[in-house]
Amino acid sequence: MAGHTRNTGGGGSARRTFLTGAGVGAAAAALGLPATGRAAAEPGAPATVAVLGGGVAGLTAAHELAERGFAVTVYERRALGGKARSMDVPDSARGGRRPLPAEHGFRFIPGIYHNLPDTMRRIPFPGNAHGVWDNLVAPPEMSFARTGREDLRAPLPWPGHRGAQLTLDEIRRALTALLETASNIPPHEVAYFVGRLVVFLTSCAERRDDTWESLPWWDFTGADRMSDDYRRILAVGVTRNIVATKAEEASTRTVASLLEAFVFNALGRGADGPLDRILDAPTNEAWIDPWTDHLTSLGVEFRIGWTVREVTYGSGRVTGVVAEDPGGARRTVTAEHYISAMPVEHARRTWGPALRAADPQLARCDALRTDWMTGIQFYLTESAPLLRGHLNLVDSPWSLTAIQQAEHWPGRDFAADYGDGTAVNCLSVDISEWDKEGVLYGRTAKQCTRDQVAREVWAQLKAALNDTGRTVLKDSALHSWYLDPGVSGLGTPHPVNDDELLIHPVGTLHNRPTARTLVPNFYLSGDYVSVDIDLATMEGANASARQAVNALLDRVGSAAPRCTVTPLFEAPELAPLRRHDRLRYRLGLRNVFDLG
């Protein structure tokens, strides 16, 4: 059995289902394994694993383990998919339609990802040769939306892209924005920024992990002595709006590594696909539901509504997990192995003093910081004349990013499929700054009520998009809105966000744990675990789960193939320069291109 529970506080015992032999046999055959590999604790019995958390990390771990013949049970307190899931807007369905689709925040699966796309290819989807991976579509453009000025519109070229179809007026506006930005960022500032990127590109790993991990992006780019446009686009635009970290404290290593990966992605180097990719339907329809169906066919069991309270430790091992079942009864879950796949702010609460003492890296996780980056959706009765892609509203006080979704869902008629038939599109917006005053109420987002947050975001959207003689967003077209239900207590002294995001101030790298712990049957998985992509992402969650499974396979001496973990692309032509920089670093010298 994949796990055992005993009642420690009342309530009935959980129903158990045995591993589906046919599903596991098929997966094992695909991997070239016997049905149970050599992972079983005794002949003929698959080893049991309790996966704590059903987000991307937990589902990935369950997927890799089930394909290798383990008996897996996933314990999830809320809903499978975690922060990646889509959800229904309550009481919004009419006339046989589905409820309006909502989400914690819009999904973004760039071509720099390799591990997550590999998993997506292995999730069957009707009519798709490459599984749910074929549900990815590539927006042809993106924009830095400026307040009071024309928006800077950027095409996202990729072989096979037809590109966005533009009107004469849109072409005029795009050229105006390009020339405005070019004239407002002096040439010497552009040259300086490019020079700083060259320094990072040619820096060895030791310099990145030490010097650049310790230096804020703001200081690395010299933002305090540059023009406003330089700061807005090149310092703030790639930090607060994308990774929810303030440029003044964000690790240069984290930000520059991301930029490096995106630059090579745009050049078609080492990429899984286009720079910008999104799903062609609500996340659960396009990805999460097919995934959980596939895992069920492999014998994975799910316990939804189970809240992990403590990972218990004794005699050098994890002895069980104390969890509350959906009825509130406390139970002890037991298995041979345990993978903690919860977000760090939830996981570290479950690690008691004895477990922390067994592996010091668990205590270091207390130093990891999280912040708010939360989504709100606006449903429209008229599609807004926006570009086909993501908007980065770099001048908005609350650091908004957005995308209008229906035009990217070619298999869906939004009005016919969702809601009451009058909403034709969904403008999905991420709010990255919750501690600065807005433009309507003079309050931070945390100080506003939910209704005030919606009004404030709508006002900031209009300020950025209705500012140059066009009415892009109409009040009359606003059907309704939905704010992530993980946020509560807004407008009170103690607001709560159940779904915070790991941020990356300087020094974060050195507090991120490895997937393998010193406890022989306990492993870590999640976007806070140390992996090659130094950013809180679904890719990081997926890669960490693969590393956790590999550590488990090593521990039990399994003959099963190890999970492939693909690192970020490194340009081979830069390798000699990085080797040279390693020598300079060890001699205490600056990078040869670092002119200050």
Side-chain angles (χ1 to χ4, degrees):
M1 293 190 295
H4 175 72
T5 60
R6 66 175 182 271
N7 193 338
T8 59
S13 62
R15 181 176 65 87
R16 292 290 306 138
T17 307
F18 284 91
L19 199 64
T20 304
V24 172
L31 289 165
L33 299 172
T36 58
R38 286 173 48 190
E42 57 187 69
T48 59
V49 184
V51 175
L52 313 178
V56 171
L59 295 180
T60 301
H63 194 157
E64 299 293 347
L65 288 165
E67 286 188 339
R68 289 160 175 80
F70 288 81
V72 184
T73 302
V74 176
Y75 296 86
E76 166 57 41
R77 67 187 176 92
R78 189 175 52 189
L80 297 174
K83 287 181 284 190
R85 78 192 190 285
S86 56
M87 61 196 84
D88 296 338
V89 176
D91 304 318
S92 63
R94 300 287 186 278
R97 299 177 185 85
R98 304 173 189 176
L100 289 169
E103 55 198 352
H104 166 72
F106 55 74
R107 303 271 62 78
F108 169 52
I109 304 174
I112 66 172
Y113 291 4
H114 289 276
N115 299 291
L116 185 68
D118 172 70
T119 296
M120 298 178 85
R121 288 183 177 92
R122 289 154 46 206
I123 303 170
F125 193 91
N128 287 0
H130 305 104
V132 302
W133 184 85
D134 284 339
N135 292 338
L136 293 173
V137 295
E141 55 184 340
M142 61 85 64
S143 171
F144 286 100
R146 306 304 307 272
T147 300
R149 290 163 51 182
E150 293 291 353
D151 300 338
L152 184 61
R153 194 167 184 162
L156 298 175
W158 191 258
H161 254 186
R162 188 178 63 180
Q165 301 298 303
L166 303 179
T167 66
L168 182 60
D169 181 63
E170 288 172 329
I171 294 172
R172 177 185 63 80
R173 291 175 180 274
L175 290 173
T176 300
L178 180 63
L179 293 173
E180 280 182 348
T181 301
S183 63
N184 280 282
I185 301 182
H188 74 275
E189 292 186 358
V190 174
Y192 181 79
F193 184 79
V194 171
R196 300 310 286 163
L197 288 185
V198 168
V199 169
F200 187 83
L201 287 171
T202 58
S203 289
C204 63
E206 291 92 335
R207 193 184 301 277
R208 294 185 181 202
D209 292 352
D210 181 10
T211 308
W212 304 141
E213 175 63 22
S214 303
L215 186 69
W217 176 247
W218 186 269
D219 295 341
F220 180 78
T221 57
D224 59 345
R225 61 181 187 270
M226 299 298 181
S227 64
D228 183 66
D229 273 15
Y230 180 100
R231 290 192 292 269
R232 288 282 184 181
I233 296 175
L234 301 178
V236 175
V238 297
T239 55
R240 191 65 190 172
N241 295 66
I242 296 176
V243 299
T245 302
K246 294 179 176 64
E248 294 85 350
E249 59 185 35
S251 157
T252 289
R253 181 190 189 278
T254 296
V255 178
S257 294
L258 180 69
L259 280 178
E260 177 184 23
F262 281 154
V263 165
F264 285 120
N265 190 171
L267 296 173
R269 301 290 303 282
D272 180 79
L275 184 68
D276 187 1
R277 294 182 297 188
I278 58 177
L279 291 162
D280 65 359
T283 309
N284 274 34
E285 294 181 38
W287 174 24
I288 301 299
D289 289 346
W291 198 3
T292 56
D293 289 345
H294 180 57
L295 296 184
T296 299
S297 76
L298 295 179
V300 175
E301 297 185 29
F302 297 104
R303 297 286 182 264
I304 311 301
W306 287 65
T307 302
V308 175
R309 295 301 183 192
E310 183 181 4
V311 179
T312 57
Y313 175 84
S315 302
R317 301 176 64 83
V318 168
T319 57
V321 172
V322 177
E324 289 181 7
D325 69 13
R330 287 218 165 195
R331 299 174 177 275
T332 297
V333 173
T334 60
E336 294 170 73
H337 302 276
Y338 303 83
I339 296 180
S340 179
M342 297 179 289
V344 66
E345 67 273 21
H346 298 295
R348 60 193 174 196
R349 297 174 193 156
T350 71
W351 304 334
L355 181 60
R356 286 165 174 261
D359 191 340
Q361 69 173 343
L362 299 180
R364 289 200 301 271
C365 289
D366 290 342
L368 297 176
R369 290 172 51 190
T370 59
D371 204 346
W372 291 36
M373 187 176 189
T374 303
I376 183 171
Q377 288 77 52
F378 295 96
Y379 303 96
L380 309 176
T381 57
E382 299 177 28
S383 289
L386 295 170
L387 85 168
R388 291 177 58 85
H390 288 97
L391 305 164
N392 189 335
L393 284 72
V394 294
D395 298 321
S396 59
W398 288 1
S399 295
L400 306 179
T401 48
I403 188 168
Q404 190 169 228
Q405 293 181 319
E407 54 262 42
H408 303 289
W409 297 351
R412 301 290 184 274
D413 182 330
F414 196 94
D417 291 347
Y418 304 107
D420 61 7
T422 62
V424 302
N425 217 323
C426 172
L427 180 61
S428 188
V429 184
D430 282 355
I431 308 167
S432 296
E433 174 58 76
W434 286 77
D435 294 306
K436 285 188 179 179
E437 294 180 353
V439 300
L440 279 186
Y441 302 104
R443 301 175 188 168
T444 70
K446 293 176 183 176
Q447 294 170 336
C448 290
T449 65
R450 296 178 73 85
D451 186 66
Q452 288 170 340
V453 167
R455 293 176 183 274
E456 177 71 49
V457 172
W458 186 251
Q460 291 186 30
L461 289 168
K462 290 195 299 180
L465 301 173
N466 292 359
D467 56 339
T468 55
R470 290 192 305 167
T471 301
V472 176
L473 296 181
K474 301 177 183 177
D475 291 339
S476 60
L478 181 56
H479 173 278
S480 56
W481 56 268
Y482 188 73
L483 177 63
D484 183 1
V487 173
S488 61
L490 291 177
T492 74
H494 304 290
V496 174
N497 187 344
D498 241 5
D499 298 295
E500 295 191 17
L501 179 74
L502 180 73
I503 59 173
H504 299 76
V506 293
T508 296
L509 174 71
H510 306 302
N511 292 315
R512 296 181 71 165
T514 60
R516 182 189 182 104
T517 76
L518 297 179
V519 180
N521 64 336
F522 186 60
Y523 313 88
L524 303 179
S525 176
D527 61 11
Y528 67 97
V529 174
S530 180
V531 293
D532 192 61
I533 186 167
D534 180 30
L535 191 68
T537 58
M538 296 184 293
E539 174 77 349
N542 183 280
S544 72
R546 291 165 179 249
Q547 290 184 350
V549 171
N550 285 346
L552 191 158
L553 295 174
D554 290 344
R555 280 252 171 85
V556 302
S558 173
R562 298 315 187 247
C563 306
T564 300
V565 184
T566 303
L568 286 174
F569 173 76
E570 291 187 1
E573 58 268 34
L574 295 179
L577 290 169
R578 290 178 176 171
R579 287 194 297 269
H580 179 254
D581 188 60
R582 183 179 298 112
L583 176 62
R584 293 182 62 87
Y585 174 80
R586 292 175 178 176
L587 292 173
L589 301 174
R590 299 167 73 166
N591 179 282
V592 70
F593 298 104
D594 190 356
L595 306 178

